[in-house]
Amino acid sequence: MVGGNAIRGTRIGAAGPSSESERGETAPRSVVSYWCANGHESRLSFALDAEIPNEWDCPKCGLPGGQDVQNPPSSGRTEPFKSHLEYVKERRSDEEGEALLEEALEKLRQRRGRA
């Protein structure tokens, strides 16, 4: 007896229709180039009726890219990475930090019965 599995002989992730007539027509597109300050070119395809952005981040270096190859946008000011500890140190002095640490240790000692 033959099973009733309709997808027998195919695998998950198998390619779908292979020709344009089976997939449908593609939307008309325009290709736009963006250049970053490092000279990288990114070529992107947009639908004709889509709003084209003035800038696009470069996928190679992350700098902003513009459509004018001679005048790419500047990278702007980027904040350096700060750890949580650096942000805490901006809000508290070393003396305040030591006092808080001592207070927390004292509470811990009391909970453990070592006061």
Side-chain angles (χ1 to χ4, degrees):
M1 183 165 140
V2 177
N5 190 348
I7 60 171
R8 185 178 181 135
T10 62
R11 70 181 199 286
I12 295 175
S18 59
S19 68
E20 190 171 301
S21 64
E22 293 174 359
R23 286 190 314 267
E25 292 184 28
T26 58
R29 303 211 166 256
S30 65
V31 177
V32 180
S33 291
Y34 293 90
W35 288 272
C36 70
N38 289 335
H40 300 134
E41 179 185 11
S42 302
R43 296 187 57 149
L44 302 167
S45 177
F46 293 96
L48 286 181
D49 59 349
E51 185 177 331
I52 308 295
N54 292 329
E55 292 186 1
W56 195 271
D57 289 343
C58 176
K60 293 181 182 173
C61 65
L63 292 176
Q67 296 178 31
D68 184 3
V69 67
Q70 301 299 323
N71 298 309
S74 63
S75 62
R77 185 174 181 272
T78 57
E79 288 288 322
F81 174 78
K82 289 184 183 178
S83 68
H84 176 71
L85 180 60
E86 289 171 316
Y87 281 110
V88 169
K89 286 183 176 182
E90 287 179 359
R91 295 190 308 267
R92 304 206 193 293
S93 68
D94 288 341
E95 293 79 26
E96 290 173 315
E98 288 293 327
L100 287 171
L101 178 61
E102 189 56 43
E103 181 182 327
L105 288 173
E106 186 58 37
K107 285 181 183 178
L108 184 62
R109 289 181 192 120
Q110 287 176 358
R111 273 195 305 183
R112 293 185 176 181
R114 298 182 193 168

